[in-house]
Amino acid sequence: MITMPAAVLDSLHGLAFGDAFGDRWFGILRREGPAALAARTPPPEPLWRWSDDTAQALVLVRELADGDGSVDQDRLARRFAAAYAADTHRGYGASMHDVLRRIGAGEPWRDVVAGQFGGQGSWGNGAAMRVAPLGAWHAADLDAAAEQAARQAAVSHHHPEAVTGAVAVAVAAALATRSRGGPAPARPEFLRAVAERLPDGDVRSGVRIASRMPRRTSVTHAAAVLGSGSAMSGPDTVPYALWCAAGHLDDLHEGLWTTVAGRGDIDTTCAIAGGVIAARTGVTALPAIWHTAREPLPAIVPGQGPAVTGAAASGSVAPPCRA
């Protein structure tokens, strides 16, 4: 086991904040409608509970810690199944319930995953939602970030677009980590740099479209054009989440409020954006109420003790945010 880069914990905590914050909005929007978003009142305490996005990100970070940054697919599959069996009530998608139950029962994960949806595999956003900390881990080597992101994606998602979505998020988190301590990359250049690392397909096309959007593009328009996760697919989720992140690389708080305004699969888009932005900024600048409201994370690796809050451990600095 090697020392975990500080940016990995920053990214993990940003992902968890985005996940828990976004997840609370499903109920608020059903009860109160979009006016609640316009008011920008934080969800009520006491507990913003994180979902399967964070549960799987925790598993992935532990795998990276044990694998010196690399993914053992067989072991990761077993770990995902074990985490699911220990807590099935984290909002897993219907197909993932089936996949993880069958893997946990001993079926070969390759057969299970490849057999989903008539043999084409899932092209959902689950492989992308958990992967940002992996990108932070491999920030020094974008090829390794892309390779390991694809390896972890294949354990649950067979469809090439789901894999590409995970690669896009990992590369974005790696680029955000590389920029720590310096000026934030401009949104168009950042998104073009991500797209350059992706194979041709719908995810790449979406990221390229996002990179060409005018500076004054509204969140509503971006969500309508790119998709904000309503279809829960990689192509329908990742370009929008990265557009939100790329426009707020110095401000996690504003980035998450922007992301949630696009509606859709809110916990997942916010988890992706949060994981990417926090890889650069850390999370200490989030308002105090966020830190007390969000469900704590467990120990990342045995013997480590409770997971500390991102930038509080690394000393990274982010600009102050509004409550």
Side-chain angles (χ1 to χ4, degrees):
M1 186 183 300
I2 62 176
T3 302
M4 190 179 301
V8 176
L9 284 178
D10 287 345
S11 179
L12 176 63
H13 277 275
L15 185 159
F17 272 113
D19 175 20
F21 172 70
D23 192 67
R24 293 287 285 170
W25 280 97
F26 288 115
I28 295 172
L29 288 168
R30 281 195 299 269
R31 293 190 304 270
E32 303 177 28
L37 273 176
R40 285 205 172 190
T41 302
E45 299 182 71
L47 188 65
W48 301 356
R49 191 170 186 261
W50 37 264
S51 74
D52 59 321
D53 305 47
T54 302
Q56 292 189 35
L58 284 161
V59 171
L60 180 57
V61 170
R62 290 179 182 126
E63 172 62 25
L64 294 171
D66 287 342
D68 291 349
S70 64
V71 170
D72 180 314
Q73 291 175 306
D74 295 331
R75 182 172 61 190
L76 182 62
R78 293 192 298 269
R79 284 179 148 164
F80 280 145
Y84 168 78
D87 188 355
T88 61
H89 302 292
R90 286 286 177 182
Y92 289 88
S95 65
M96 286 304 296
H97 281 289
D98 178 62
V99 165
L100 295 174
R101 283 171 181 157
R102 291 171 63 188
I103 293 173
E107 293 187 48
W109 65 265
R110 288 177 176 84
D111 296 342
V112 173
V113 172
Q116 292 287 300
F117 299 96
Q120 71 173 354
S122 171
W123 73 337
N125 53 30
M129 71 190 186
R130 66 193 181 220
V131 79
L134 180 151
W137 191 299
H138 290 288
D141 187 342
L142 296 182
D143 289 337
E147 177 188 1
Q148 295 300 321
R151 284 182 60 80
Q152 69 83 33
V155 169
S156 57
H157 291 73
H158 180 70
H159 196 286
E161 291 292 348
V163 175
T164 300
V167 171
V169 174
V171 170
L175 292 171
T177 303
R178 285 184 168 198
S179 73
R180 285 166 73 109
R187 178 188 266 156
E189 287 75 16
F190 184 86
L191 292 174
R192 282 198 293 267
V194 173
E196 287 172 1
R197 293 274 170 173
L198 306 179
D200 287 339
D202 292 344
V203 172
R204 184 174 189 264
S205 294
V207 175
R208 292 181 68 188
I209 291 168
S211 75
R212 295 194 295 265
M213 285 182 162
R215 184 175 181 180
R216 295 184 180 275
T217 299
S218 70
V219 176
T220 302
H221 183 72
V225 172
L226 301 172
S228 58
S230 294
M232 297 186 183
S233 72
D236 179 59
T237 303
V238 170
Y240 170 76
L242 294 186
W243 179 84
C244 292
H248 300 89
L249 288 171
D250 275 334
D251 194 336
L252 176 61
H253 184 253
E254 182 65 23
L256 292 178
W257 275 115
T258 297
T259 307
V260 79
R263 315 278 294 266
D265 192 10
I266 308 174
D267 61 329
T268 296
T269 55
C270 285
I272 292 171
V276 170
I277 298 169
R280 170 177 163 83
T281 66
V283 299
T284 55
L286 286 175
I289 187 176
W290 289 48
H291 289 270
T292 57
R294 195 207 71 191
E295 180 183 5
L297 297 185
I300 304 301
V301 294
Q304 180 200 46
V308 293
T309 300
S314 66
S316 57
V317 177
C321 300
R322 303 186 300 274

